[in-house]
Amino acid sequence: MALPELLRRLRLNSGMPLAHVAHHIDAEPTSVHRFEEGRRPAPYDIVEKADELFSAGGRLIEAWRRDDAERHAAAGAHRTKAAALAMSHDLSALSELDIAALQEGVDATAVDYLASPPAPMMDRALVLRADALERIRSRHHRPADRSDLYVAAGRLSGVLAYALLDMGHPGEALAHADAAGRCAEHAGDSGLAAWVAGTKSLIARFQGNYNKALEYVRGGYQWAGSGHGTGETRLRCGEAQCLANLGDSRAANDALDGAQEARERIRQEDSLGGLFGFSPAKQSYYAASSLIWLQGGRDAERAAREATAAIALWQAGPVAERSLDDERLSQIYLATARVQLDDVEGAAEAIQPVLTLPVQEQISWIVKRADRLAQMLSEPRYAGNRTAAETVDLINALAT
């Protein structure tokens, strides 16, 4: 039995709550959840502590060693595939190397990422980027294709940055974002450079460093040409998230208004969508996820409107542009805004679709944001409120 399944089974059989287990093995509850889902490998020292806690007699340690060996073998296989792919291209007619197939792979990965787990997207991006870099190094391409190859390598580095961040590794994510930025510089692609600035800001926000995140955003405006794609809109929404978390309601709302003005100025669409686009649904999602960190009132009212708009846009829009995880988080943001407005019944209704998700779809951010909602519903002013109590119980059952 693989380690994630065994760890989850032992915890459930023990009857220990997730938070209790996390405390005794020196880990965060969201990290334990990731270990059980297989979304993140558990460190050996954590596994040792868990084996002792559950009196597993070395079974968890044995499973860890087996899984670790499989990971190393898989990594070797990925490197072999990348090398074989590059070699095959070298053996092709060098004067006719066509990068169309590579670009198609980049385009498909950018779209598929919205509805796929990060690990397989990371694996695909690694193979494709190895191909792009080999072509650049070997100079087995037409001179006119060199810029396109750098853009492809940069976008694939961007995919890796997002995947590592979604898997809980911001440091590694930043290294890939830096690589994407260097590729954008070599290619002279301002759109990619603006996207990289927004992604670096996202990584800093993940780490709770909102002042640094604000620096990245404001540094990125130099690359966001007015009317050219959604780069400025995305950056202004990122600025709003920073300002809201820093407690500046007026500036956060101004940034969101600026994002809408930037969208209305767009005259040239993004050259690539999916992960590298910024749809109106995503814009509303960012607005809601910003304003729920303020003090309620008008901010909560706008957050509720924006979350509702994001959900409706995703449900009515093209399947390829639907980001299920973000849509589910929007349900939580809507519920959070309604609690801030003292609408407990409305909050319970909003979060209901999230509470029935299978465990493999309960990503760490869903659990984390739902936990905050549960804390709000557990405040003394809701004591005796049956709906609040029932909703808290259902939230606590997530990932347990």
Side-chain angles (χ1 to χ4, degrees):
M1 184 182 299
L3 177 62
E5 182 182 355
L6 179 58
L7 178 60
R8 177 172 171 76
R9 181 173 296 185
L10 287 171
R11 180 176 65 79
L12 292 176
N13 289 344
S14 73
M16 298 181 192
L18 187 68
H20 176 84
V21 172
H23 174 74
H24 281 80
I25 64 174
D26 296 326
E28 293 293 327
T30 51
S31 296
V32 177
H33 178 53
R34 291 192 194 104
F35 301 153
E36 291 184 353
E37 281 189 315
R39 294 175 65 88
R40 178 180 175 186
Y44 182 76
D45 62 325
I46 294 291
V47 174
E48 277 190 316
K49 293 172 184 174
D51 193 88
E52 181 179 353
L53 177 65
F54 296 129
S55 300
R59 284 187 293 158
L60 282 171
I61 294 172
E62 181 183 350
W64 183 91
R65 288 173 175 160
R66 185 170 56 250
D67 288 0
D68 187 60
E70 290 176 359
R71 279 194 298 272
H72 280 82
H78 290 312
R79 287 193 293 271
T80 300
K81 285 193 295 183
L85 182 61
M87 185 176 293
S88 294
H89 288 307
D90 285 346
L91 295 174
S92 301
L94 299 184
S95 62
E96 293 298 330
L97 276 178
D98 185 4
I99 67 169
L102 173 63
Q103 290 175 323
E104 288 174 5
V106 175
D107 292 357
T109 302
V111 173
D112 291 348
Y113 192 96
L114 298 182
S116 302
M121 291 295 98
M122 180 177 68
D123 292 343
R124 187 198 298 181
L126 281 169
V127 173
L128 289 169
R129 190 178 68 166
D131 180 33
L133 293 176
E134 178 60 24
R135 293 179 189 226
I136 291 171
R137 292 192 187 103
S138 66
R139 296 186 179 273
H140 292 161
H141 55 77
R142 295 184 295 270
D145 290 337
R146 191 167 184 81
S147 177
D148 289 340
L149 284 171
Y150 270 117
V151 171
R155 285 173 171 163
L156 291 164
S157 295
V159 172
L160 292 172
Y162 255 78
L164 268 299
L165 185 62
D166 283 345
M167 295 168 72
H169 304 290
E172 294 175 49
L174 184 59
H176 288 297
D178 284 336
R182 288 192 293 273
C183 288
E185 182 180 350
H186 285 302
D189 192 303
S190 59
L192 179 57
W195 184 90
V196 169
T199 300
K200 287 184 175 181
S201 176
L202 177 64
I203 294 168
R205 297 198 299 273
F206 180 93
Q207 295 173 307
N209 191 344
Y210 296 104
N211 287 309
K212 184 65 176 178
L214 201 54
E215 286 181 24
Y216 282 132
V217 164
R218 291 175 173 170
Y221 285 132
Q222 64 181 307
W223 305 110
S226 180
H228 298 285
T230 59
E232 183 183 353
T233 303
R234 179 172 180 253
L235 287 170
R236 292 199 180 280
C237 284
E239 182 173 5
Q241 284 197 337
C242 296
L243 293 166
N245 277 277
L246 291 170
D248 193 335
S249 171
R250 180 174 180 177
N253 279 278
D254 286 347
L256 292 174
D257 293 341
Q260 183 56 34
E261 292 168 3
R263 182 174 291 281
E264 292 169 359
R265 290 194 299 269
I266 293 175
R267 298 293 178 267
Q268 180 179 326
E269 297 298 324
D270 292 314
S271 57
L272 179 59
L275 186 61
F276 296 92
F278 197 74
S279 68
K282 190 77 171 180
Q283 183 178 340
S284 289
Y285 162 85
Y286 261 66
S289 68
S290 300
L291 299 174
I292 59 167
W293 296 102
L294 294 165
Q295 300 302 313
R298 291 183 179 178
D299 290 319
E301 290 174 356
R302 183 173 184 179
R305 290 195 303 272
E306 297 283 8
T308 300
I311 295 164
L313 286 167
W314 269 315
Q315 291 179 349
V319 174
E321 295 180 7
R322 189 173 184 181
S323 178
L324 291 176
D325 287 340
D326 288 343
E327 183 180 324
R328 291 158 180 166
L329 283 166
S330 294
Q331 299 278 4
I332 299 176
Y333 299 151
L334 174 57
T336 301
R338 286 178 174 173
V339 171
Q340 290 175 326
L341 295 168
D342 283 327
D343 180 7
V344 175
E345 297 292 336
E349 179 185 4
I351 199 174
Q352 189 58 43
V354 177
L355 299 177
T356 57
L357 285 176
V359 66
Q360 64 269 22
E361 296 181 27
Q362 298 170 20
I363 66 168
S364 60
W365 282 113
I366 287 177
V367 176
K368 194 171 187 177
R369 294 294 177 251
D371 282 347
R372 181 191 178 217
L373 179 63
Q375 292 171 13
M376 294 170 67
L377 289 170
S378 299
E379 291 175 0
R381 60 175 170 164
Y382 297 122
N385 186 308
R386 182 176 178 180
T387 300
E390 290 176 350
T391 305
V392 169
D393 288 342
L394 289 169
I395 291 173
N396 289 338
L398 284 172
T400 59

